[in-house]
Amino acid sequence: MFENFTVIPSIDLKGGQVVRLLRGDMKRATVYGANPGQTARRFEEAGAALIHIVDLDGAIAGAPRNVEAIAKIRAAVKCAIDVSGGLRTIEAVRAAIAGGAERVSIGSAAILDPELVRRACAEFPGRVFGSIDIREGRLAVKGWLETSQLTVAEAADRFRAAGIAAAIVTDISRDGAQAGVDAARMEEIAGVVRVPVIASGGVASLDDIRALRMRFDAGIVGVVVGRALYEGNFSLIDALAAAVC
């Protein structure tokens, strides 16, 4: 799936609007637009092959809440979309796929209900990502409101056994903060996870993208970029260029 290092723009949804949180705090949301479809179209026109969509309300509620906004995104673009947030039943996963998602990302459910991930991977081989959200070395679940006692290695074992296609690893302490990525730490995690890793959280500059791209052979196959694009630190066109040179 990931033959080359991939830059994946993110659209986070809260109340149908495009937002970014600071370090996962729902009370610290910056609104960047009220038209998710338009945002997605801009990313596709800039060259995005895959867009990562996060239903923030769904992640906290435990069931999808921004279905209409995701449908608008699907209608607006032809590129692949990855849907996450609140997918904690096989019915929710099936509905996301039926709604046009090429990929789904499952996080909390992997910790709370490991059988769901196995079922999803069996029904949709190659289309399920695992979300590993890390706060101070531990896994955060339920919209990052709670911390699991599972270690990253234990969660990775579950995901790997289930057959996920890749793991989106988010450093919550850096997410939305434009603090820069800890590429060396991500490389360490990739060594533990032992499935393709998509890094997320903290991207502030093109150098962050280059630092991760240089670790492609170590298992880091892509990066999710959010606030840095919305704040204009660089364009998606420039980010895609940095991923190949």
Side-chain angles (χ1 to χ4, degrees):
M1 181 186 304
F2 293 99
E3 296 179 1
N4 302 293
F5 187 81
T6 305
V7 174
I8 305 167
S10 176
I11 298 178
D12 291 5
L13 299 170
K14 183 175 185 284
Q17 295 184 307
V18 179
V19 307
R20 292 298 294 175
L21 306 184
L22 180 61
R23 299 185 178 93
D25 187 344
M26 287 287 275
K27 296 177 182 176
R28 303 174 77 182
T30 303
V31 177
Y32 286 101
N35 190 329
Q38 188 178 72
T39 299
R41 194 176 302 114
R42 284 201 304 268
F43 286 151
E44 182 179 52
E45 289 171 352
L50 174 64
I51 299 173
H52 178 59
I53 301 168
V54 184
D55 180 347
L56 295 170
D57 302 300
I60 290 174
R65 287 291 183 267
N66 283 280
V67 175
E68 184 177 334
I70 293 170
K72 289 178 181 177
I73 292 172
R74 179 67 286 170
V77 297
K78 294 183 173 63
C79 69
I81 61 173
D82 163 41
V83 171
S84 68
L87 303 180
R88 297 185 198 163
T89 66
I90 192 65
E91 290 77 17
V93 171
R94 289 170 181 156
I97 296 284
E102 280 76 18
R103 308 277 185 272
V104 293
S105 294
I106 301 176
S108 296
I111 314 303
L112 306 170
D113 181 12
E115 178 59 26
L116 169 64
V117 186
R118 287 192 288 271
R119 290 185 65 186
C121 289
E123 281 195 34
F124 305 105
R127 300 177 70 176
V128 179
F129 294 159
S131 296
I132 297 179
D133 304 322
I134 303 171
R135 178 188 285 119
E136 297 177 356
R138 290 285 175 175
L139 281 121
V141 296
K142 296 185 177 179
W144 298 353
L145 294 178
E146 297 180 17
T147 302
S148 167
Q149 292 307 303
L150 278 186
T151 65
V152 173
E154 289 166 339
D157 287 345
R158 291 189 182 184
F159 279 135
R160 198 165 49 250
I164 62 165
I168 299 179
V169 178
T170 301
D171 183 342
I172 298 172
S173 68
R174 294 171 182 266
D175 191 65
Q178 299 186 82
V181 299
D182 187 343
R185 173 65 176 143
M186 281 291 175
E187 183 175 356
E188 288 177 14
I189 292 171
V192 171
V193 174
R194 289 184 286 135
V195 297
V197 163
I198 300 166
S200 175
V203 173
S205 70
L206 295 176
D207 284 341
D208 288 324
I209 293 172
R210 296 185 184 105
L212 292 167
R213 182 208 73 214
M214 291 173 62
R215 290 166 167 83
F216 182 80
D217 291 339
I220 300 177
V221 299
V223 60
V224 174
V225 185
R227 191 182 292 267
L229 290 174
Y230 294 106
E231 290 290 338
N233 293 22
F234 49 79
S235 68
L236 181 56
I237 292 172
D238 288 341
L240 292 168
V244 296
C245 63

